[in-house]
Amino acid sequence: MENWVPFGEGEYLAEQALMVTDSDHAVAVDNVFIEVYADARGQRYLKGRGRIHNILMVELLEDSDDLDLLLDFGGEFKFLLKAPNLQAGKVFSPDARSALQFIPQTPWRQLSPDEFNDRMSRLRLLAHPG
């Protein structure tokens, strides 16, 4: 398998992250960082986590079971992670926020700034009322 992670081993903070559906609904994920690590052969992998309003995640899942993750690390480092494996808290109080963990199931795709901005301009962001 080709190394598809363009970052060296370490932790990286995303400037912006959004869970998105194919119908362009989105929910912001806060405090997102990824950890890049390598196995004994030098193959790099990543996993990440952030914080999300659980009730908004439920609302997003009502729109689609297939969620993607848009990640912006600044500059030209903008990525689309298709259908990552997600784990999140299961408390559905309107104000609850929990950790969201994600692990890619397929290589992420780097987006050009124009592709990323085009996608962002089409999104309808679901927001917490409080």
Side-chain angles (χ1 to χ4, degrees):
M1 175 184 210
E2 177 184 328
N3 258 332
W4 53 267
V5 179
F7 301 125
E9 289 183 67
E11 292 184 351
Y12 300 88
L13 183 65
E15 290 184 6
Q16 182 173 222
L18 298 149
M19 293 301 311
V20 298
T21 66
D22 285 338
S23 60
D24 293 328
H25 289 100
V27 171
V29 184
D30 300 321
N31 305 323
V32 170
F33 73 91
I34 62 166
E35 177 187 353
V36 176
Y37 57 98
D39 64 16
R41 296 168 296 153
Q43 179 69 40
R44 289 188 306 270
Y45 300 93
L46 72 84
K47 60 184 174 183
R49 72 180 134 213
R51 294 192 49 83
I52 194 163
H53 278 282
N54 298 21
I55 200 77
L56 294 178
M57 183 78 159
V58 170
E59 193 174 333
L60 199 61
L61 287 166
E62 288 174 358
D63 182 51
S64 174
D65 289 335
D66 299 320
L67 302 179
D68 299 331
L69 184 62
L70 279 174
L71 293 164
D72 179 2
F73 293 95
E76 75 270 14
F77 298 105
K78 298 169 186 345
F79 298 91
L80 175 65
L81 221 134
K82 293 292 285 178
N85 184 1
L86 302 173
Q87 295 178 351
K90 307 229 180 345
V91 177
F92 301 115
S93 167
D95 294 325
R97 285 176 39 145
S98 69
L100 170 72
Q101 297 178 347
F102 56 90
I103 299 173
Q105 301 304 298
T106 59
W108 62 4
R109 183 170 71 91
Q110 187 164 6
L111 303 175
S112 72
D114 287 341
E115 286 176 297
F116 184 83
N117 292 335
D118 178 60
R119 182 76 190 258
M120 291 294 293
S121 71
R122 294 190 322 260
L123 293 178
R124 291 181 302 277
L125 191 62
L126 304 177
H128 188 268

